[in-house]
Amino acid sequence: MTYQLDPVRGRLGTARDISTAPETPFADGLPLRRGDHFGTLPLGDPTGGADGIRWREQVDGKQIYPRVSIDRDVTIKMSDGVRLRATVIRPANRFGQTALTPYPAIVNINPYNRAAIDFIDHALHVPVVSKAMKTAAGSVDATGTAFEGLTKLTQTLAGGVFDVFGINRTLVRSGYVQIIVDVRGTGASHGKWEILGAREQQDSVEILDWVREQEWCDGKLGLAGWSYSAINSLQGADKRPEGLGAVFAVEGCDDIVRDIYITGGMPSAFIPAWLSVVNVLKWLPNPSTMLRDMVRGDTLRWASSRVKSPATEMGSIGWGFLTARDPRIHDDPYFDERDPEIDRIEVPTFTVGAWHDLFSHSATGIYERLDMEPGRKQMVVGDGYHFDAGSGYGGDAAPPRLDVLERAWFDRWLKGHRNGVEYYGPVTMLQQGGSWTSGPSFPRPGMEHQRLYLSDAPSGSAAHAVHDGTLSSAPGLHTSSLKVKRDLRGMISRDMTQVTAGATMALGPHFNTDARFQEKGGLSFTSDAVIERVRLSGALNLRLNVATTGHEAVWAITINDVAPDGRSTVLTSGALSTANRALDHSKTRYTAEGAVAKAYHQLTRHHKLPVPADEPVRIDVALTPTDAVLEPGHRLRVDIYAASYPRYLNVVPDLLKLRGHHQRLVIDPKHPSYLTFEADLPII
């Protein structure tokens, strides 16, 4: 069934005269009456309109309870005997006495050690200072200056994501209980870390069962989190546990392989760096319970668990890089077990992503796979990375802060408040090159597939590149061979910022919004300047005719918006090693004319194809979905690189196959290279 929002009233279903229908049943079976929610929320308002103002006032205003009671010494025993450690936060009166009334419980399960979460909580709740710090972080705007990237990072503090990630005191004071659990084998929990594996997923279900049976829980449950804990929340929801009523997931993932582990068949530098951080954190005891743990013998059990797996997965990752024989260097059932089954989720789910997040494919992919009507599913996608989730939220013409959206979401689905959040969005996006918008779908309505061909004729706009080519509406008439070499310019690029989760954006525009330095090592193909405003929305695919003197090659791609002053800003990206070019046709999407619209590659060891030396082969490079606008005078550009380190790495056996090779893009009218994308108007 296809669902859409009435663009006039923002209701779900087909349009009709609501004056003749005083009651309309919604998805939860309760009647929805006119005036049940605050104000009017027109489709197309990313701020939430009058409802959004009310949501913010409810968070920033006086709460039911003045304080919270925090128990950091809670043990939850799993069915296999392993003890998980948790923090329980409950409402309290002004004397600090815990409220006895049972409330809905919000569960957050993550591997980053509750001691770190406690540190963040204390830092954000220093009297007077913390409020001033958040206000300052949200008000400083250095757009257009050398500090633009740094400001975007600091604005994250005011965007509400740390309340979703850690202890949300305001949410608890409004009448909730919050439970934060160290993942098995991390933090103070015992056992071996299994990195989102089957036993860890079973833990999530058992944790929810335990929470629901506690006297302080009224039986209604929510799952929330950022990054790993967002993935964990989606995994828990796909098990359909009893009592679960809603999910709020910030920057989660539904395809770990293609998003970050082996994008295009190549490992990422992020994974070993991230594994190192979590493995270090899991060795740090929680100071709030250290003495009691020693007396009870928990410290000994905890240490024993750590000794059995001192550096989880680090050895296998290293072995995989050296030999390419570890299954985690290829797509494998190991990953199938860990990807959330999004289409099994039944409860209302709110997802937040970013166009250049580590999990950029999943930014829109999760929403697309959720099998429920819009309203019960919501998607917000910003123009950022991973560490800056929520940056700019709560500002003029922007979505409400993430803590505000989380509160409204859980109030609606766990408490039954008619607050209008089901009419928000359902698809709210920061259009690259444009502004925040809300609409009924992604891609935007009115998009049509288009194709632009790569030609060796100069565009006159990229003299700094290895080759300045053209994007045209028809294949060129001549055959040519364009060489491109590997270099290290990817270390100063948006690729670098994406693989560092956004950390390097503070180093200047070349790491964030200006790709001209990286383009000095690539082949560029640029369209004419557009005359009218053109919107791009949806997936993109780049078909290339390529050759190499070796037996393997790496192709890194970006699609850019080129401003009249020459600044080239990456809109989306992708990569593929030539040996991993085999398509899974059952999952690949095609246009009506039969062209590949979104490639889905077979990235297993057994599906690798031979790469013949000096013989052209055709490859399809999947680019992450995006939403962008080209203003009059701007151009669309395709950049092609032979490498982009450290975002895309080669394992040692593949490095040997390279043999100091030269890569070539073969421009051939009989086998044209072209970009397939969706737009509302022809670019040329």
Side-chain angles (χ1 to χ4, degrees):
M1 180 179 292
T2 300
Y3 300 89
Q4 64 180 9
L5 285 172
D6 180 340
V8 177
R9 289 174 285 276
R11 290 185 177 276
L12 288 164
T14 57
R16 59 187 179 132
D17 184 357
I18 59 175
S19 65
T20 63
E23 275 190 11
T24 303
F26 195 61
D28 56 7
L30 297 174
L32 177 61
R33 297 179 175 84
R34 295 182 67 185
D36 271 349
H37 68 283
F38 303 105
T40 302
L41 185 56
L43 188 68
D45 186 353
T47 70
D51 285 346
I53 294 172
R54 186 59 177 261
W55 304 335
R56 188 189 68 233
E57 289 175 344
Q58 288 178 331
V59 172
D60 293 344
K62 187 176 181 180
Q63 305 302 320
I64 301 172
Y65 294 92
R67 298 180 63 182
V68 299
S69 171
I70 303 179
D71 184 355
R72 294 183 170 86
D73 190 17
V74 177
T75 299
I76 309 173
K77 191 172 182 179
M78 297 293 99
S79 58
D80 63 353
V82 170
R83 302 182 182 195
L84 305 186
R85 305 301 297 278
T87 297
V88 175
I89 307 100
R90 298 170 60 187
N93 63 22
R94 63 191 181 93
F95 302 109
Q97 296 170 320
T98 304
L100 299 180
T101 306
Y103 285 108
I106 309 302
V107 179
N108 178 301
I109 309 168
N110 76 68
Y112 298 115
N113 200 320
R114 286 174 303 120
I117 292 176
D118 286 346
F119 175 81
I120 294 172
D121 176 59
H122 292 313
L124 294 180
H125 291 92
V126 177
V128 182
V129 175
S130 59
K131 185 175 182 180
M133 186 168 55
K134 285 185 178 181
T135 301
S139 61
V140 176
D141 185 2
T143 303
T145 74
F147 300 101
E148 180 176 2
L150 180 61
T151 301
K152 194 173 182 183
L153 278 172
T154 58
Q155 285 180 339
T156 306
L157 189 64
V161 72
F162 289 105
D163 290 305
V164 178
F165 173 71
I167 296 174
N168 191 338
R169 294 180 180 234
T170 303
L171 181 69
V172 172
R173 288 169 52 220
S174 72
Y176 287 90
V177 179
Q178 189 180 13
I179 302 90
I180 300 176
V181 186
D182 284 331
V183 164
R184 166 188 298 251
T186 71
S189 288
H190 304 168
K192 178 185 177 182
W193 185 32
E194 296 189 1
I195 313 180
L196 299 168
R199 178 61 244 191
E200 188 176 308
Q201 295 175 48
Q202 178 62 28
D203 288 347
S204 297
V205 175
E206 293 183 16
I207 290 167
L208 293 174
D209 288 342
W210 177 87
V211 169
R212 190 168 45 83
E213 294 172 356
Q214 303 308 302
E215 60 182 6
W216 35 257
C217 177
D218 67 1
K220 297 176 182 177
L221 306 170
L223 281 166
W226 176 21
S227 190
Y228 191 105
S229 51
I231 302 172
N232 191 293
S233 295
L234 295 168
Q235 288 178 328
D238 77 34
K239 307 300 182 294
R240 301 177 179 177
E242 184 178 351
L244 183 64
V247 173
F248 193 88
V250 178
E251 296 181 340
C253 177
D254 71 334
D255 191 338
I256 298 171
V257 166
R258 285 159 185 81
D259 265 332
I260 190 64
Y261 250 90
I262 47 172
T263 304
M266 292 167 289
S268 162
F270 174 79
I271 293 301
W274 170 72
L275 285 172
S276 299
V277 169
V278 179
N279 274 302
V280 168
L281 287 175
K282 77 180 187 182
W283 278 96
L284 302 178
N286 194 317
S288 64
T289 61
M290 188 182 303
L291 292 178
R292 280 169 288 180
D293 289 345
M294 292 178 65
V295 172
R296 293 184 304 226
D298 279 331
T299 299
L300 184 59
R301 285 186 285 266
W302 170 83
S304 176
S305 297
R306 297 298 179 270
V307 169
K308 292 177 182 177
S309 181
T312 306
E313 297 282 10
M314 293 300 293
S316 60
I317 289 291
W319 176 250
F321 268 98
L322 289 173
T323 66
R325 294 179 181 176
D326 189 271
R328 279 144 289 201
I329 297 298
H330 311 279
D331 197 359
D332 186 81
Y334 172 92
F335 295 107
D336 295 336
E337 178 184 276
R338 286 158 170 79
D339 285 335
E341 297 182 58
I342 303 298
D343 52 3
R344 281 186 47 82
I345 298 175
E346 296 180 324
V347 299
T349 300
F350 198 117
T351 69
V352 179
W355 298 124
H356 303 281
D357 180 30
L358 292 166
F359 309 124
S360 49
H361 281 284
S362 298
T364 56
I366 295 172
Y367 178 86
E368 184 179 18
R369 289 183 57 197
L370 285 167
D371 188 17
M372 62 186 74
E373 64 270 27
R376 284 174 62 85
K377 64 175 180 177
Q378 297 271 348
M379 177 182 85
V380 175
V381 185
D383 183 14
Y385 304 95
H386 199 71
F387 286 158
D388 62 337
S391 179
Y393 286 49
D396 294 340
R401 301 189 316 259
L402 293 178
D403 59 320
V404 172
L405 290 170
E406 180 191 35
R407 163 80 178 274
W409 194 247
F410 287 136
D411 277 355
R412 173 64 185 90
W413 301 112
L414 301 186
K415 292 187 174 181
H417 292 180
R418 296 297 185 173
N419 58 13
V421 74
E422 64 266 42
Y423 306 122
Y424 181 68
V427 173
T428 302
M429 302 179 290
L430 180 49
Q431 189 177 52
Q432 297 190 78
S435 59
W436 281 103
T437 63
S438 286
S441 64
F442 178 82
R444 292 175 183 273
M447 298 294 119
E448 294 185 0
H449 280 109
Q450 299 187 30
R451 185 186 297 186
L452 290 177
Y453 294 88
L454 277 59
S455 166
D456 64 352
S459 73
S461 67
H464 57 285
V466 172
H467 180 82
D468 172 24
T470 301
L471 287 178
S472 59
S473 57
L477 300 177
H478 307 289
T479 300
S480 61
S481 182
L482 306 177
K483 293 182 180 180
V484 60
K485 298 179 180 179
R486 287 174 291 159
D487 62 29
L488 298 178
R489 287 187 175 90
M491 298 185 72
I492 303 177
S493 70
R494 191 161 226 179
D495 278 342
M496 182 66 169
T497 300
Q498 190 162 355
V499 81
T500 59
T504 57
M505 78 168 80
L507 299 180
H510 288 308
F511 289 89
N512 189 29
T513 57
D514 191 346
R516 283 176 288 188
F517 176 78
Q518 186 184 22
E519 286 176 343
K520 292 178 181 180
L523 309 174
S524 283
F525 300 85
T526 313
S527 73
D528 291 337
V530 300
I531 300 173
E532 297 181 75
R533 195 171 190 261
V534 180
R535 296 184 301 172
L536 292 78
S537 188
L540 304 91
N541 189 84
L542 185 64
R543 167 156 287 193
L544 296 176
N545 198 39
V546 298
T548 177
T549 57
H551 293 287
E552 178 59 296
V554 173
W555 299 95
I557 311 297
T558 66
I559 309 299
N560 299 20
D561 171 6
V562 183
D565 65 0
R567 176 174 289 220
S568 179
T569 302
V570 175
L571 301 176
T572 180
S573 60
L576 185 69
S577 66
T578 307
N580 285 289
R581 65 189 181 275
L583 293 175
D584 182 337
H585 295 287
S586 67
K587 295 182 179 180
T588 294
R589 299 181 188 176
Y590 297 87
T591 68
E593 293 76 25
V596 174
K598 185 178 181 181
Y600 190 95
H601 294 96
Q602 308 252 31
L603 300 180
T604 68
R605 180 202 303 270
H606 304 295
H607 284 95
K608 279 183 172 288
L609 297 176
V611 180
D614 274 329
E615 182 178 327
V617 296
R618 283 180 290 179
I619 64 173
D620 286 283
V621 183
L623 303 159
T624 55
T626 194
D627 189 80
V629 59
L630 296 179
E631 296 290 353
H634 286 237
R635 303 164 182 254
L636 190 68
R637 174 174 291 167
V638 172
D639 284 329
I640 301 173
Y641 303 102
S644 186
Y645 301 117
R647 186 176 178 192
Y648 311 114
L649 301 177
N650 296 113
V651 296
V652 171
D654 286 345
L655 282 173
L656 296 177
K657 292 178 183 178
L658 296 177
R659 297 178 181 176
H661 74 302
H662 298 287
Q663 293 179 212
R664 294 183 290 125
L665 173 66
V666 180
I667 302 294
D668 183 350
K670 295 181 180 179
H671 303 287
S673 297
Y674 55 86
L675 175 69
T676 304
F677 60 99
E678 294 181 75
D680 62 345
L681 293 172
I683 287 182
I684 298 175

